[in-house]
Amino acid sequence: QVQLVESGGGLVQAGGSLRLSCAASGSIFRINAMRWYRQAPGNQRELVAVIARDGTATYADSVKGRFTISRDNAKNTVYLQMNSLKPEDTAVYYCNADVLLLTWSVDTYWGQGTQVTVSS
């Protein structure tokens, strides 16, 4: 199996920055797409950013120009650099990865989530 462990969340003032990390471990042959989602209280989970294995990235309109997704394939880790944070960015952030397992099956895994709170 595969475990995704997020870190880097916390409390920050509006205009500040945070960097989230998500490290994958387990029976991994290769990780394909990796994603960051977020879910605010009372809202549905929304896709924030996606990064392909080759580094191609796509962002939600709400975070374009402020957030940057990146990855280190050697470490099976994805990052989310969040700048110019706004109170509306407050949410639990989850990472997600499409994993080709050592058994040659493919499955999608989720992390446990990390809280990001932006004060005004």
Side-chain angles (χ1 to χ4, degrees):
Q1 289 298 329
V2 173
Q3 298 79 40
L4 300 182
V5 179
E6 296 117 337
S7 60
L11 174 63
V12 64
Q13 288 189 332
S17 298
L18 284 174
R19 189 190 192 212
L20 306 183
S21 300
C22 173
S25 62
S27 303
I28 299 168
F29 179 78
R30 186 182 66 224
I31 299 178
N32 297 323
M34 302 184 83
R35 306 171 188 86
W36 286 99
Y37 285 79
R38 67 185 181 187
Q39 187 168 18
N43 291 357
Q44 290 188 334
R45 192 170 296 190
E46 65 170 341
L47 180 62
V48 174
V50 184
I51 186 166
R53 184 167 180 82
D54 66 1
T56 303
T58 305
Y59 299 91
D61 287 343
S62 58
V63 306
K64 279 181 182 176
R66 300 188 299 121
F67 291 9
T68 302
I69 189 172
S70 60
R71 63 189 289 169
D72 184 333
N73 291 331
K75 295 181 179 180
N76 289 330
T77 299
V78 63
Y79 306 96
L80 187 67
Q81 177 66 44
M82 305 185 293
N83 299 328
S84 301
L85 283 161
K86 305 175 181 180
E88 52 263 43
D89 294 318
T90 295
V92 178
Y93 284 70
Y94 300 89
C95 66
N96 161 294
D98 296 337
V99 180
L100 175 60
L101 301 172
L102 296 175
T103 57
W104 290 101
S105 61
V106 177
D107 209 344
T108 298
Y109 294 88
W110 290 86
Q112 81 286 355
T114 185
Q115 176 70 46
V116 171
T117 303
V118 184
S119 63
S120 57

